[in-house]
Amino acid sequence: MFGPDDSRIGEHEPPINGRKRKNGEDCVYRQLELNFPKKLCTHHSSHEESCSSVMAASHRLQGRKSLNSKPGQTKKLVIKNLKEKPSLPANYEEETWSKLRRAVHAIHTSSSINESLEELYKAVENMCSHRMGSTVYQRLREECELHVQSRLGLIGKEGSLDPPLFLKKLDKCWQNHCSQTLMIRSIFLFLDRTFVMQNSTIMSLWDMGLQLFKVHVASQDSVKARAVDGILCLIECERTGEQVERALLKSLVRMLVDLQMYADEFEAPFLVATDQLYAAEGKRLMTSDTITVPEYLAHVDRRLRQESDRIFHYLDQSTRSLIY
């Protein structure tokens, strides 16, 4: 393909890309230069020169940036305040509370809530963020107090009920009150975790619900007295061998403990009734001619086990040390 002297062509040509040409490369390179048009070669060389100039300018720009920039230097983001402070509508507070009040009423009446829980939670958050927490707390307390007062008032007026039925109605009212308070707290959770926690003199929403129930139970003698007497009546029936609903007794005793009424309102009369019962029973057995001493001791041991079982199932553990 090449002539006999082609191997010496390009022998003194400059190196390619900074390296010395080999013999075979000299031949191919020279042959291509002879065959390609001059115009194409000129275009190729001008393209190389333009690329070299662009690279040189890029290196100079990078060098200039490296000299001007400092290591670890970052740009500062400046946030400017709004020129005009946003304001709430004139009737925002009343409209928002009206929506929250409807939700609270729906919870108390066990009906459906029109708004979503997320929307109600956001409404409470917005009111607290605009310093309306005190107003929301006071209005919520008044709304819950009206409901508790009306419910316990209806129970107190039912004087014809026997103790078991009355206790069942009272227990249902208590259970509903607890579940409703938890539901209301889930909506007003932002109020409970911000405004309430920032004011040590204000009770949490759960404690507020307990306090309202306690006040209206204690203020109505027809409810408090009948509740304590009814529990004592069921315990007396169980001591005489009758079957009673221990789950009902446990729930009502727990209510008295949560309301902090167990020691003052129930435990004292319970201990008096217990002392009177066993004093009369012991006197009757001691004067009886049909019971022997071993039988009497076995009877006492059985009574002690029954009282221990009673404390274990529904009475408060604080009574254990007082009853023996």
Side-chain angles (χ1 to χ4, degrees):
M1 181 177 179
F2 300 104
D5 297 330
D6 289 341
S7 59
R8 295 191 302 273
I9 295 176
E11 188 173 329
H12 302 288
E13 293 292 335
I16 302 176
N17 294 334
R19 65 178 178 84
K20 189 175 180 180
R21 296 177 178 175
K22 297 181 182 180
N23 293 333
E25 291 179 350
D26 293 340
C27 299
V28 175
Y29 189 83
R30 186 60 179 171
Q31 188 66 30
L32 290 174
E33 286 184 345
L34 295 175
N35 295 334
F36 279 11
K38 294 293 182 178
K39 189 174 183 180
L40 184 59
C41 293
T42 304
H43 175 73
H44 178 70
S45 60
S46 62
H47 177 69
E48 288 182 349
E49 291 176 359
S50 62
C51 290
S52 300
S53 62
V54 171
M55 292 177 64
S58 175
H59 287 312
R60 287 196 300 272
L61 182 59
Q62 291 179 359
R64 190 177 304 161
K65 287 184 178 180
S66 63
L67 291 176
N68 295 333
S69 61
K70 297 180 180 180
Q73 185 178 4
T74 56
K75 293 184 179 180
K76 293 183 179 180
L77 180 62
V78 179
I79 301 177
K80 296 182 179 180
N81 295 328
L82 296 175
K83 295 182 179 180
E84 295 182 1
K85 186 177 180 180
S87 59
L88 295 175
N91 56 346
Y92 175 79
E93 182 178 354
E94 294 299 327
E95 289 184 355
T96 307
W97 169 248
S98 178
K99 178 169 59 176
L100 294 173
R101 183 179 177 275
R102 290 195 301 269
V104 173
H105 180 72
I107 293 174
H108 284 157
T109 57
S110 300
S111 56
S112 60
I113 304 175
N114 296 329
E115 294 81 7
S116 64
L117 297 180
E118 182 180 1
E119 182 181 353
L120 296 172
Y121 180 91
K122 192 65 178 178
V124 176
E125 181 180 357
N126 291 336
M127 295 189 73
C128 293
S129 301
H130 289 85
R131 299 182 180 181
M132 302 177 187
S134 178
T135 304
V136 175
Y137 184 89
Q138 187 62 31
R139 288 184 171 183
L140 177 62
R141 180 185 176 88
E142 293 173 358
E143 192 71 23
C144 294
E145 186 170 13
L146 289 175
H147 173 72
V148 172
Q149 185 177 8
S150 63
R151 295 302 302 168
L152 290 176
L154 292 176
I155 295 176
K157 292 179 181 179
E158 297 180 356
S160 59
L161 295 176
D162 59 354
L165 290 179
F166 173 80
L167 293 179
K168 287 182 179 180
K169 280 187 170 293
L170 180 61
D171 180 63
K172 184 178 180 180
C173 180
W174 165 249
Q175 297 295 337
N176 290 338
H177 176 73
C178 292
S179 60
Q180 290 166 2
T181 302
L182 290 175
M183 187 66 180
I184 292 173
R185 183 181 180 271
S186 65
I187 294 176
F188 292 83
L189 187 61
F190 191 86
L191 175 72
D192 202 29
R193 290 184 174 179
T194 54
F195 174 76
V196 174
M197 292 185 66
Q198 294 168 3
N199 295 270
S200 59
T201 59
I202 297 178
M203 292 183 293
S204 66
L205 297 183
W206 173 254
D207 292 338
M208 180 192 72
L210 295 181
Q211 195 258 353
L212 291 176
F213 202 89
K214 176 183 178 180
V215 166
H216 289 283
V217 167
S219 63
Q220 300 184 34
D221 294 333
S222 58
V223 176
K224 180 182 68 174
R226 291 178 65 188
V228 174
D229 293 342
I231 296 174
L232 293 176
C233 179
L234 290 183
I235 294 176
E236 184 179 359
C237 292
E238 187 181 41
R239 283 170 170 170
T240 58
E242 297 183 23
Q243 294 291 330
V244 297
E245 294 185 37
R246 284 191 165 186
L248 176 62
L249 287 173
K250 182 178 181 179
S251 178
L252 292 171
V253 168
R254 179 51 52 188
M255 178 194 72
L256 295 176
V257 172
D258 292 340
L259 298 178
Q260 298 180 0
M261 299 175 62
Y262 181 85
D264 297 333
E265 304 295 340
F266 171 77
E267 193 174 51
F270 168 76
L271 293 175
V272 171
T274 302
D275 183 64
Q276 293 175 352
L277 172 68
Y278 288 122
E281 185 176 274
K283 184 178 180 180
R284 178 175 55 81
L285 292 176
M286 290 292 292
T287 58
S288 176
D289 296 333
T290 60
I291 187 171
T292 63
V293 174
E295 291 174 346
Y296 179 81
L297 294 177
H299 177 78
V300 171
D301 184 66
R302 183 171 64 254
R303 281 300 199 184
L304 290 174
R305 290 197 305 270
Q306 290 174 355
E307 294 300 326
S308 178
D309 183 68
R310 194 167 290 113
I311 293 173
F312 176 78
H313 280 90
Y314 56 82
L315 292 178
D316 191 68
Q317 294 299 318
S318 62
T319 311
R320 183 179 296 277
S321 61
L322 300 175
I323 203 170
Y324 290 115

